[in-house]
Amino acid sequence: MLARPSTRRNFLRSGVQVVAGMGAFVSALKPLADFDVDTLGGVEGFLQKHYKEMSADDMKASLARIESDVKRRFDVDVVARDIKPVDGVEFVYALNLSRCVGCRKCVHACVQENNQSRSPEIQYIRVLEMPKGTLDIEKGNHHYDRPTVPDEDHFYMPIQCHQCDDPPCTKVCPVEATWTEPDGITVVDYDWCIGCRYCEAACPYWARRFNFAEPTIPKEELIAKKDAAEAKGEQLEVNYLSNRPRPVGVVEKCTFCLHRTREGKMPACLEVCPVGARKFGNILDSTSEVAQILKTKRVFVLKEELGTNPRFFYYFDERYPQDSSQKSFEGMPGMPEITRTHGASKGEPK
Amino acid sequence: MREYTRFLQRCFRLSFVGTKLYKFWMLFLSVVALIGLNAWAKQAVGGLATTGMTDQVSWGLYIANFTFLVGMAAAAVMLVIPVYVYKNKDLHDLVIFGELLAVAAVTMCLMFIMADMGRPDRGLHLFMRFNWPISVLTWDVIVLNGYLALNLHICGYLIWCAYNERKPGKAFYIPFVFLAIFWAFSIHTVTAFLYSGLGGRPFWNSAVLAPRFLASAFAAGPAFLVLTLLVINRFTKYDVPRAALQTLRGIITVALTINMFLLGCEVFTEFYTDSTHAASAHYLFEGLGGKHALVPWIWTAIALNTFALVVLYSPFKRRVVFYAPACGAMIVGIWIEKGMGLIVPGFIPTPLGEVFEYVPTLNETLVCFGIWAAGLLLFTILVRVTIPVLSGELTKNKLYSTDSFS
Amino acid sequence: MHQTVLTAVFLALAGWFLVGSGPADIPLAERNVVTLEMVQPTTLRTPLGPNPTIIVGGVKKTCQTCHEIWDSGVRQNKSLVQHLDTWLSHGENDNCLSCHNREDRGMLSDREGNPIPFGDSAALCSQCHGPTWRDWQSGAHGRTNGYWDKSKGEQVRQQCVACHDPHHPAFPQLETFPAPNTLRQITDEHAGDHVLEGPIGRFREVIRSEREAKAEANAKEAAAKRAALDAKYKELGIERGEK
Ligand code: SF4
Ligand code: SF4
């Protein structure tokens, strides 16, 4: 066909070239040999439908897959559930900035409750140490590491997903992998997200996290959780839209612990808050704590000018809670000596 | 149909034939593309943690290159408009190169998006639950793929006609050409809307972003074409009309001027107001909180663009020795300004004020080089095949002698 | 010739892919170990129940056992043998009998001297802390644990004394849990050291110097107090446990 005479030698030579080229191509893909298809959810995961399109049977199959997936990854037996929103309930969070002392206990309780990856580290709550005199969060320090808190010069501002009524994050998702539920909680279908991270760019509160690597949770910590649950006569549960261990390459976020709150419980961050700065409840019930706070306190939301209409309110008390000179209790009888009980251990968990 | 397969076959074989220089160029591109493929395979196994991206800076080099390349693709129309709207004859024969560039650029865009996705295996979800028209990203998916299809059709049709020694039927491509003109504006505008629609990112949330995108695209795209045409002129028998290069120069000069002007407008608004929203601009131009990774880059970009602008307005503008470096400088300058200089600082500081830097990893950089190499490989092959067909050396009835290609 | 080069290059590349190139680097940061026990929803203190008792010499006694015979004065006076661990720092309220019932030490006392049981201390606190009491009633102040939906489970409204020690009610300093250590984070000592300009910056300077002076004075005063107390204990021959 081509004008150049295709002699046999020529043909052979170009054959060798082509083979060498193909060889290089195939060997370039060699890293894929280490690839574990299970991390992506296998065939079943691949064929699974969108959360809103699943029938009861589909959901059952999916939950069974989640259970065996957790077993495979962490060697722990769990019960997977899909708890639905309750009618007549819309969740609202309120946080008392006059009370928060910035101890970050909520951050770590959340990690435990929601099975976030420990390394690379994923946390839903960020506590900002704010210099007194400003409410501009750009002035806050995320990395304060003093042995004890609060510091007299600062106040503390925890920030997590604000469960916006007008969420910019769900708007941008190309595949509707994230949406707002009737009870006001913005959720992610971890089995539908394609990992484009557009929502992460869109969220004005930096509330979304991406699983850059396969999330790791130390097995012992899951077992400790299971033991604790069994001691209470319960099983270790995980929930489809919230705290089940996530696959790699998808986005996740705070869900106000919907697996707890939809069953009437308080979120984990609230339960552990030692100062009672966190308040949670049903805003449609006018007697609830949050309704009372919205009625009686002067509340504000972050970045109100963006029109996101958050379900997360901050408020203050009338006066500063205490005279700072009262606080030098150190060495007084009955005062606990504060040493940090946590340390950092090197390396990779699991 | 049989004829068509034969045509493809011949094109395929033709792409392996050429001078020594051509072959080494192709070898070089293949090697880089393969290294990139290897790096991508590693990324597929390790996850996006192999890149320098983090929750703080959640888009990096991939999206930066994507943004730049959308501009390159859109710029193809800068050749089409003078020809079909203003009936400029000089550029007529060159239109096809613009469209080939568009095809290659859009292909690279799609590859960059694939590389950036956390779960490319779920790409199918786009077909099953497409959040259109709410998500701007779905618009981008449509316009980019549509643009690719349009350009493939136009180039393919023209080449196919030339191959069959037919005169192209106007009805089969002129409407598409006009559609492509509007479409080109849309791809870049929609891509700008991807960013400017995010209220939580004040650095991007500016109405001037889309015009800026268009202006920079209409400078960098034609500049790249000028370089391509110079290469074609130098290494093939194809004779590029001088006048065409000068027409392109006019376009580039105006576009670059507008781009620099708009950049100036942004800089003024940010720094004169000096509200807290200017934090990203501060980070970009002078550093913030002791971090200044991007500062040398943006000033390099500004220096390159200024150099290009000065050359383009100077008396030497007609001389290739000045003109070509100016084009090169401008491409690099705009790549930095629009890629690194636009995407990355949008994330710094984070919406919560954390100043967290982004440094691309080696693996990520290799993937980028690989995609560029693959794109250039595609572009080279397309150009390689097109030239003999268009010049009537390779047709249905003519055997094409490789010796004539030098 | 160049065909051989081509083949050689491809083969070399293939070889490198197969043998030479390792997996891409993923920097896993140090993990902050926080275990489940460390994040339990326990309250800061455990308040005394409705009938407080005390163990003296291995025997359980009620308050009244001693106070039947021993009516201490109205002022704070603990230079004796009991209540050594109790110290008062409750603002102007430095009078034991402002809160404790003189007649029945197993009870608290309201302003008029009427008894209030220990388990109901909030009623006592509310006499002075009006706004806080109001906020506590509406739920804006204080901890609420358990269920937000009372139809599904028990809701616990924590009492004042679950968090505040009535003798020195200000909230103590707490341990800080680990700071974030996210992917590719480079911890920067000076991160967040914002130089605040304008009136706020100047205001902070004033506050800072005032506070430093105050802290110095406080430290002096505390040292003097302690020395005096120690001397007194020594005089009485009491071993004071170092806490
Ligand atoms: S805070 Fe962010 S993630 Fe949460 S609903 Fe709003 S935009 Fe979405
Ligand atoms: S990262 Fe996932 S949830 Fe977020 S926009 Fe992309 S597909 Fe939707």
Side-chain angles (χ1 to χ4, degrees):
Chain A
M1 239 183 277
L2 294 174
R4 171 176 271 188
S6 238
T7 63
R8 171 163 298 182
R9 248 188 78 211
N10 235 324
F11 178 76
L12 268 180
R13 272 223 210 128
S14 31
V16 171
Q17 277 173 55
V18 170
V19 170
M22 297 299 277
F25 183 85
V26 173
S27 42
L29 293 172
K30 182 214 158 201
L32 292 179
D34 302 334
F35 198 54
D36 184 1
V37 195
D38 285 341
T39 59
L40 300 188
V43 182
E44 280 171 68
F46 184 73
L47 294 177
Q48 185 173 309
K49 292 200 197 110
H50 185 273
Y51 178 82
K52 292 186 185 171
E53 286 165 14
M54 274 194 251
S55 67
D57 281 341
D58 291 339
M59 179 48 83
K60 226 170 153 188
S62 175
L63 293 177
R65 187 179 59 78
I66 290 168
E67 285 168 8
S68 65
D69 189 55
V70 174
K71 179 89 184 153
R72 177 184 62 80
R73 281 164 71 186
F74 307 104
D75 196 23
V76 180
D77 289 301
V78 295
V79 179
R81 294 179 61 195
D82 172 40
I83 305 170
K84 298 285 183 200
V86 184
D87 277 345
V89 173
E90 182 175 338
F91 293 123
V92 154
Y93 217 117
L95 199 147
N96 189 343
L97 287 178
S98 302
R99 297 293 153 194
C100 174
V101 293
C103 67
R104 291 206 190 93
K105 208 174 174 185
C106 52
V107 175
H108 294 276
C110 169
V111 169
Q112 285 283 342
E113 177 67 34
N114 290 297
N115 302 318
Q116 277 108 308
S117 173
R118 311 297 205 269
S119 174
E121 183 186 271
I122 290 187
Q123 296 172 345
Y124 295 161
I125 307 175
R126 264 286 158 104
V127 186
L128 267 55
E129 187 176 70
M130 305 282 298
K132 282 180 184 165
T134 174
L135 258 178
D136 176 9
I137 49 180
E138 297 211 341
K139 303 223 163 60
N141 179 5
H142 295 235
H143 302 282
Y144 65 94
D145 201 20
R146 36 186 109 253
T148 65
V149 279
D151 176 63
E152 285 179 39
D153 258 357
H154 295 92
F155 70 98
Y156 296 85
M157 184 167 207
I159 301 176
Q160 63 208 75
C161 175
H162 282 17
Q163 313 293 1
C164 310
D165 195 32
D166 240 320
C169 58
T170 59
K171 241 183 353 197
V172 299
C173 179
V175 293
E176 252 184 277
T178 175
W179 65 91
T180 306
E181 294 264 294
D183 52 2
I185 296 180
T186 297
V187 292
V188 181
D189 182 349
Y190 313 125
D191 289 339
W192 198 259
C193 170
I194 59 173
C196 67
R197 305 188 297 298
Y198 196 9
C199 53
E200 216 178 355
C203 171
Y205 304 101
W206 197 62
R208 291 180 165 252
R209 299 290 181 274
F210 181 72
N211 285 285
F212 281 92
E214 166 101 347
T216 54
I217 308 166
K219 195 179 134 189
E220 318 82 64
E221 294 191 18
L222 281 176
I223 290 178
K225 261 179 94 172
K226 191 173 162 69
D227 291 346
E230 275 164 5
K232 279 190 264 170
E234 296 163 2
Q235 294 159 305
L236 183 57
E237 287 179 0
V238 298
N239 191 64
Y240 187 96
L241 287 177
S242 57
N243 67 345
R244 66 173 156 128
R246 269 71 71 184
V248 64
V250 303
V251 152
E252 58 177 284
K253 63 182 283 296
C254 159
T255 60
F256 279 179
C257 285
L258 62 80
H259 51 280
R260 296 172 61 90
T261 49
R262 280 182 181 173
E263 305 221 298
K265 292 186 204 156
M266 293 288 193
C269 48
L270 182 148
E271 284 281 358
V272 298
C273 177
V275 297
R278 291 173 166 269
K279 296 286 157 189
F280 179 85
N282 179 8
I283 196 67
L284 302 182
D285 168 7
S286 66
T287 63
S288 67
E289 281 183 356
V290 281
Q292 292 297 324
I293 288 166
L294 259 61
K295 265 193 248 171
T296 59
K297 289 288 182 181
R298 302 296 169 261
V299 301
F300 75 99
V301 295
L302 268 190
K303 305 195 185 192
E304 189 167 6
E305 71 276 14
L306 297 179
T308 49
N309 290 326
R311 289 188 177 82
F312 199 101
F313 296 86
Y314 294 94
Y315 67 103
F316 300 98
D317 286 336
E318 283 92 342
R319 61 178 189 114
Y320 187 66
Q322 55 219 359
D323 177 357
S324 55
S325 64
Q326 284 189 340
K327 284 208 258 172
S328 38
F329 292 168
E330 235 171 287
M332 294 304 269
M335 279 287 115
E337 196 169 317
I338 297 172
T339 44
R340 299 185 73 166
T341 46
H342 62 76
S345 88
K346 270 239 176 218
E348 188 185 350
K350 199 166 122 184
Chain B
M1 195 64 228
R2 255 196 57 225
E3 189 51 44
Y4 190 63
T5 12
R6 193 166 150 245
F7 166 64
L8 286 184
Q9 224 170 40
R10 291 182 71 178
C11 290
F12 178 73
R13 300 195 51 166
L14 190 57
S15 58
F16 287 96
V17 184
T19 57
K20 217 181 222 170
L21 195 64
Y22 172 78
K23 282 200 173 160
F24 277 113
W25 169 242
M26 296 294 275
L27 176 65
F28 167 71
L29 290 181
S30 319
V31 168
V32 178
L34 283 175
I35 292 176
L37 182 69
N38 182 248
W40 176 81
K42 289 180 196 168
Q43 176 187 306
V45 175
L48 284 173
T50 55
T51 70
M53 290 185 275
T54 52
D55 280 322
Q56 285 83 354
V57 183
S58 51
W59 282 339
L61 267 192
Y62 295 154
I63 297 294
N65 276 303
F66 161 78
T67 312
F68 177 76
L69 284 165
V70 172
M72 295 282 272
V77 295
M78 284 331 266
L79 287 171
V80 181
I81 295 177
V83 174
Y84 292 98
V85 181
Y86 297 111
K87 311 274 184 253
N88 179 323
K89 286 277 167 296
D90 297 330
L91 290 176
H92 186 272
D93 294 337
L94 302 179
V95 163
I96 191 121
F97 295 114
E99 314 229 301
L100 293 179
L101 176 63
V103 170
V106 178
T107 314
M108 281 191 257
C109 285
L110 298 177
M111 284 195 273
F112 272 115
I113 291 295
M114 281 299 275
D116 187 68
M117 264 161 67
R119 294 301 291 260
D121 57 310
R122 293 186 182 162
L124 221 58
H125 291 179
L126 275 173
F127 297 99
M128 294 153 80
R129 228 186 148 87
F130 199 53
N131 193 10
W132 188 84
I134 308 290
S135 168
V136 188
L137 202 51
T138 56
W139 284 83
D140 219 23
V141 170
I142 294 175
V143 291
L144 278 179
N145 286 299
Y147 193 64
L148 181 62
L150 268 178
N151 280 300
L152 274 179
H153 166 76
I154 298 170
C155 306
Y157 181 70
L158 290 179
I159 296 174
W160 177 238
C161 287
Y163 177 76
N164 282 315
E165 296 171 347
R166 264 198 270 134
K167 224 178 140 40
K170 283 222 148 86
F172 286 106
Y173 80 100
I174 295 291
F176 293 101
V177 168
F178 279 94
L179 185 57
I181 292 177
F182 288 106
W183 211 281
F185 281 95
S186 81
I187 61 170
H188 219 28
T189 310
V190 169
T191 307
F193 287 173
L194 276 185
Y195 311 108
S196 67
L198 304 181
R201 305 273 173 189
F203 187 65
W204 295 338
N205 191 214
S206 137
V208 86
L209 199 68
R212 239 182 97 191
F213 267 34
L214 288 173
S216 62
F218 293 158
F224 189 83
L225 272 174
V226 167
L227 293 184
T228 316
L229 294 177
L230 288 175
V231 169
I232 291 175
N233 203 30
R234 169 88 177 66
F235 293 105
T236 73
K237 280 200 283 184
Y238 194 88
D239 200 20
V240 177
R242 281 281 125 152
L245 291 180
Q246 298 311 327
T247 314
L248 281 176
R249 203 201 62 233
I251 296 173
I252 295 171
T253 312
V254 173
L256 188 62
T257 311
I258 297 177
N259 181 43
M260 294 292 272
F261 170 69
L262 291 178
L263 181 68
C265 292
E266 288 258 42
V267 170
F268 170 79
T269 322
E270 298 274 20
F271 285 94
Y272 191 80
T273 318
D274 207 24
S275 70
T276 47
H277 284 174
S280 296
H282 276 288
Y283 172 73
L284 178 61
F285 288 102
E286 29 171 84
L288 190 70
K291 309 251 167 85
H292 13 56
L294 281 182
V295 177
W297 288 90
I298 192 67
W299 288 107
T300 311
I302 289 177
L304 289 172
N305 285 347
T306 314
F307 161 73
L309 205 62
V310 169
V311 170
L312 287 176
Y313 278 113
S314 74
F316 312 118
K317 57 196 176 189
R318 276 166 218 283
R319 310 222 343 240
V320 169
V321 267
F322 291 103
Y323 185 20
C327 287
M330 182 190 327
I331 295 171
V332 177
I334 290 177
W335 181 85
I336 297 173
E337 181 202 316
K338 206 161 134 190
M340 297 291 270
L342 186 96
I343 305 305
V344 176
F347 290 99
I348 303 170
T350 67
L352 302 189
E354 190 183 6
V355 182
F356 198 101
E357 292 211 295
Y358 161 75
V359 184
T361 58
L362 175 65
N363 203 63
E364 179 179 17
T365 315
L366 290 180
V367 173
C368 290
F369 277 123
I371 294 176
W372 270 96
L376 288 178
L377 200 64
L378 178 68
F379 186 53
T380 314
I381 292 175
L382 290 175
V383 173
R384 168 78 188 89
V385 171
T386 307
I387 291 175
V389 177
L390 277 194
S391 57
E393 287 176 69
L394 174 73
T395 64
K396 189 161 66 173
N397 308 316
K398 251 192 229 162
L399 287 184
Y400 175 65
S401 156
T402 45
D403 301 333
S404 67
F405 183 80
S406 59
Chain C
M1 217 300 277
H2 57 259
Q3 293 184 339
T4 333
V5 174
L6 226 116
T7 314
V9 169
F10 278 135
L11 287 181
L13 200 58
W16 182 69
F17 287 149
L18 292 178
V19 194
S21 87
D25 175 45
I26 301 177
L28 284 179
E30 276 183 14
R31 190 167 86 80
N32 291 319
V33 181
V34 175
T35 57
L36 194 59
E37 303 88 71
M38 291 159 68
V39 288
Q40 289 303 311
T42 42
T43 50
L44 207 63
R45 41 195 312 276
T46 323
L48 299 173
N51 300 304
T53 52
I54 190 165
I55 300 186
V56 179
V59 187
K60 213 189 220 174
K61 305 256 164 70
T62 66
C63 306
Q64 209 44 23
T65 323
C66 297
H67 285 285
E68 203 76 67
I69 40 171
W70 205 341
D71 178 21
S72 54
V74 287
R75 287 280 152 197
Q76 173 183 4
N77 181 1
K78 46 181 190 135
S79 54
L80 300 169
V81 281
Q82 275 306 324
H83 306 318
L84 288 183
D85 276 357
T86 307
W87 44 278
L88 260 182
S89 176
H90 196 146
E92 284 169 27
N93 179 14
D94 57 353
N95 184 334
C96 307
L97 298 181
S98 296
C99 301
H100 291 279
N101 194 304
R102 188 163 199 160
E103 271 72 55
D104 180 358
R105 293 306 167 104
M107 285 282 182
L108 298 168
S109 166
D110 74 2
R111 259 197 303 249
E112 272 91 47
N114 303 320
I116 295 176
F118 263 86
D120 205 9
S121 55
L124 167 64
C125 307
S126 69
Q127 296 183 115
C128 299
H129 300 281
T132 314
W133 166 245
R134 179 202 65 206
D135 284 350
W136 183 80
Q137 279 177 308
S138 74
H141 182 103
R143 287 182 70 173
T144 309
N145 290 104
Y147 285 74
W148 64 266
D149 184 351
K150 289 175 220 156
S151 67
K152 298 218 171 101
E154 194 203 349
Q155 187 178 88
V156 186
R157 294 283 294 122
Q158 306 288 3
Q159 301 285 315
C160 318
V161 287
C163 301
H164 302 280
D165 187 317
H167 300 109
H168 38 92
F171 219 80
Q173 291 271 303
L174 295 183
E175 172 194 356
T176 318
F177 275 69
N181 186 12
T182 53
L183 191 64
R184 292 180 196 277
Q185 176 180 313
I186 299 163
T187 309
D188 182 349
E189 303 276 292
H190 301 289
D193 279 3
H194 292 277
V195 184
L196 289 180
E197 285 159 7
I200 294 170
R202 293 191 286 275
F203 158 77
R204 278 165 57 92
E205 273 316 305
V206 173
I207 297 289
R208 182 170 299 147
S209 54
E210 264 180 18
R211 197 188 52 242
E212 272 160 16
K214 200 167 169 189
E216 214 170 288
N218 262 356
K220 262 195 205 141
E221 196 187 325
K225 260 191 192 165
R226 264 190 97 97
L229 211 62
D230 283 349
K232 210 167 202 177
Y233 283 137
K234 217 170 181 183
E235 219 178 279
L236 291 165
I238 297 167
E239 272 299 311
R240 192 171 175 277
E242 212 39 65
K243 231 331 191 172

